[in-house]
Amino acid sequence: MTSSLRLEAVNSDNVGAACRLRVQPDQEHLVDPVAWSLADAYVNPETTWPRLIFDADELVGFVMGEFDPRSPVDEFRCRIWRLNIAAGKQGRGYGHFAVEAVVQEARRRGQRRLTVLWVPGENSPEQFYLRLGFRATGQRNRGRVVGELLLPES
């Protein structure tokens, strides 16, 4: 990873590029488009944390965390809600950078457990999350595997 990686809040200058961001065609069934994520963020502004991932001036991805300690669904209290890395940009550390940013935000908010849901099967991000230290909990939510990462105090 290079020092040119950064997160940026979604704003009027970059929202169009954010909505045009696409994952690889064989992954489109695994994650919702960024525009849907931004709609979710719009109706849940108190709990969502949407960020664009840039490598220098190039938009390479999108990540959205959710921090809702009052959620009745345990796995939605502190989670990676979405992670979209642009087609042709995977395998360069951008996803790892994004997950680490959500981990740091979760720690800043005093959280000790971060969750993520993934669709199992071909082209699934399961191995990516497992390599980053998440473990499958054995639970499912709407057919998706629930993964968790326990966050040690820093």
Side-chain angles (χ1 to χ4, degrees):
M1 261 182 287
T2 68
S3 60
S4 63
L5 293 182
R6 63 184 166 82
L7 294 181
E8 190 172 299
V10 181
N11 60 48
S12 61
D13 293 330
N14 60 30
V15 69
C19 289
R20 289 187 298 275
L21 184 97
R22 297 288 179 268
V23 297
Q24 295 178 170
D26 61 356
Q27 296 173 330
E28 289 175 347
H29 70 286
L30 299 172
V31 64
D32 289 328
V34 173
W36 289 23
S37 300
L38 295 177
D40 285 329
Y42 179 81
V43 298
N44 298 291
E46 308 83 29
T47 62
T48 55
W49 190 77
R51 297 293 186 269
L52 299 177
I53 306 158
F54 284 88
D55 188 349
D57 292 328
E58 181 181 14
L59 175 62
V60 296
F62 171 82
V63 65
M64 185 163 73
E66 182 178 42
F67 305 98
D68 185 3
R70 295 180 309 273
S71 174
V73 181
D74 184 51
E75 58 263 22
F76 292 175
R77 292 182 186 147
C78 178
R79 68 173 169 152
I80 297 171
W81 191 346
R82 300 268 164 65
L83 176 58
N84 304 52
I85 301 299
K89 302 297 180 183
Q90 294 178 6
R92 300 181 187 185
Y94 301 137
H96 183 269
F97 172 80
V99 170
E100 185 56 33
V102 178
V103 165
Q104 292 306 316
E105 182 64 16
R107 283 187 176 141
R108 188 187 72 74
R109 293 171 183 245
Q111 299 299 311
R112 300 294 309 261
R113 177 179 181 249
L114 179 66
T115 60
V116 66
L117 306 179
W118 63 77
V119 176
E122 190 174 347
N123 300 315
S124 169
E126 179 174 23
Q127 291 306 311
F128 166 76
Y129 287 116
L130 295 176
R131 280 193 306 274
L132 293 180
F134 284 85
R135 70 166 190 88
T137 65
Q139 298 173 308
R140 297 277 179 126
N141 183 299
R142 297 182 186 167
R144 293 182 170 109
V145 175
V146 177
E148 72 175 356
L149 179 66
L150 300 180
L151 307 176
E153 291 184 47
S154 44

